Amino acid sequence: DAPARFNVGLIGNLRLHEYVDLRLEPGLYYTQRNLTFPGLENPRDKLREVKSTYIHVPLLLKFSSLRLGNIRPYLVGGASVSYNLSSNFNAKDDNYEQRFRMNQLTYNYEVGFGIDIFLEWFIFSPSIRGVFSFQNELIPDNNPNSPWTGNIESMKTRAVFINFSFH
């Protein structure tokens, strides 16, 4: 299933040039992945709800165009790191004990586009952004033939989301 995600964060902006900004956008993400395993008989074993809380820190370059009235389109891209607070990284238990394990630290790249809308008291910036992981986030079960992780080669973040910023 597609992950549900909610993010709350801050924006730090350093103007490098009239049309180029360096942005630090640390945030706290709440996300859930629903993994289904149709080959398993027990209903308790068929679904794994992998709930995660991430500290997500992207460092981005924002390339803005000329302002057209109260609107300015932009492109954004860069790298980010995500720290999974609920990864079960050090747990000895695995899916046989109902515990899904993931790596604690993930490195990603991000690309997107959006518009700055200049309002009287603030700037509203809706955007569409993609976040893509560089490495496998899954920690396999202790049994290499596990029905949950034995046939999964890798699990990586690949997400496209709508972002609303107010600054």
Side-chain angles (χ1 to χ4, degrees), residues 24-96:
L24 183 65
E25 299 182 359
L28 189 64
Y29 277 24
Y30 302 98
T31 185
Q32 178 176 323
R33 293 177 172 129
N34 295 328
L35 304 174
T36 56
F37 300 92
L40 299 174
E41 295 298 321
N42 187 342
R44 183 176 158 216
D45 291 338
K46 282 187 174 190
L47 175 67
R48 287 290 184 264
E49 291 180 348
V50 183
K51 297 179 182 179
S52 300
T53 303
Y54 291 94
I55 296 174
H56 183 75
V57 183
L59 184 62
L60 307 167
L61 282 173
K62 178 181 174 184
F63 300 95
S64 301
S65 71
L66 289 172
R67 187 170 163 173
L68 305 167
N70 286 336
I71 295 175
R72 181 174 56 200
Y74 65 86
L75 298 174
V76 66
S80 63
V81 62
S82 298
Y83 183 78
N84 189 343
L85 298 171
S86 50
S87 67
N88 296 320
F89 178 73
N90 291 325
K92 300 293 181 214
D93 295 338
D94 59 17
N95 278 292
Y96 289 95

Side-chain angles (χ1 to χ4, degrees), residues 19 32 35 44 73 80 97 100-101 115 119 122 140 155 157:
Y19 302 108
Q32 178 176 323
L35 304 174
R44 183 176 158 216
S80 63
E97 289 82 27
F100 197 88
R101 301 178 299 172
I115 57 172
L119 302 170
F122 61 91
M155 189 170 83
T157 296

Side-chain angles (χ1 to χ4, degrees), residues 15-29:
R15 173 133 317 166
L16 300 176
H17 182 270
E18 186 177 358
Y19 302 108
V20 181
D21 296 305
L22 181 65
R23 300 185 76 138
L24 183 65
E25 299 182 359
L28 189 64
Y29 277 24

Side-chain angles (χ1 to χ4, degrees), residues 101-132:
R101 301 178 299 172
M102 296 176 64
N103 284 315
Q104 201 169 31
L105 207 55
T106 306
Y107 299 97
N108 315 290
Y109 66 93
E110 300 191 20
V111 293
F113 63 92
I115 57 172
D116 288 333
I117 302 170
F118 294 85
L119 302 170
E120 186 174 350
W121 300 103
F122 61 91
I123 301 170
F124 174 55
S125 297
S127 65
I128 295 176
R129 189 178 305 172
V131 178
F132 307 96

